[in-house]
């Protein structure tokens, strides 16, 4: 295209043959450099973070849910790390004592205890 412009300017008489050769030589030197600078600059103005991504809204939602699940797992792991063997032993001992006294935490456990005590015949 620059050669076409130079050809038209030479045909009109604005440039002589020698001037046209000199201009063509300079254009041949500088055009690759200009294109090497301008092409990436133009590409940078037309792209943004994620512009090449093929992810859909469903993919983003799944990633969000997985991130939330990961956060919950991290919290649980941190809480489990704070539990000591003494805490576990105390909880087991408290559960055994509650079972011996007939104190159950669940409604099903309470119903089972009541049923067992009505069916129980002393001495058998």
């Amino acid at each position: 295209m620059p050669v076409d412009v130079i050809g038209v300017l030479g045909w009109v008489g604005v440039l002589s043959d020698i001037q046209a050769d000199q201009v063509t030589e300079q254009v041949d030197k500088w055009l690759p450099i200009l294109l090497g600078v301008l092409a990436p600059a133009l590409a940078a103005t037309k792209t943004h973070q994620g512009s090449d991504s093929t992810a859909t809204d469903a993919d983003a939602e799944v990633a969000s849910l997985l991130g939330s699940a990961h956060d919950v797992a991290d919290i649980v792991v941190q809480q489990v790390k704070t539990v000591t063997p003494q805490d576990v032993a105390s909880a087991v001992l408290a559960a055994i004592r509650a079972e011996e006294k007939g104190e159950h935490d669940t409604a099903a456990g309470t119903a089972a205890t009541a049923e067992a005590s009505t069916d129980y015949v002393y001495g058998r």
Side-chain angles (χ1 to χ4, degrees), residues 2-3 6 20-37:
V3 177
I6 294 171
D21 288 340
Q22 290 173 348
V23 170
T24 305
E25 189 177 306
Q26 291 299 319
V27 168
D28 286 343
K29 281 184 190 176
W30 289 101
L31 188 61
I33 295 170
L34 288 174
L35 290 178
V37 171

Side-chain angles (χ1 to χ4, degrees), residues 72-98:
V72 169
D74 285 343
I75 292 168
V76 169
V77 167
Q78 291 301 321
Q79 289 179 350
V80 168
K81 285 182 179 179
T82 61
V83 175
T84 64
Q86 181 63 33
D87 294 336
V88 174
S90 296
V92 169
L93 193 57
I96 291 171
R97 288 187 179 144

Side-chain angles (χ1 to χ4, degrees), residues 15 18 31 50 67-68 96 108 110 116:
L15 294 176
I18 296 172
L31 188 61
S68 298
I96 291 171
T110 305

Side-chain angles (χ1 to χ4, degrees), residues 105-121:
D105 291 337
T106 63
T110 305
T113 303
E115 182 181 335
S117 63
T118 58
D119 291 342
Y120 180 75
V121 177

Side-chain angles (χ1 to χ4, degrees), residues 49-86:
Q49 183 179 5
S51 63
D52 293 333
S53 176
T54 58
T56 62
D57 290 339
D59 294 336
E61 186 175 335
V62 167
S64 174
L65 290 174
L66 289 175
S68 298
H70 187 265
D71 293 343
V72 169
D74 285 343
I75 292 168
V76 169
V77 167
Q78 291 301 321
Q79 289 179 350
V80 168
K81 285 182 179 179
T82 61
V83 175
T84 64
Q86 181 63 33

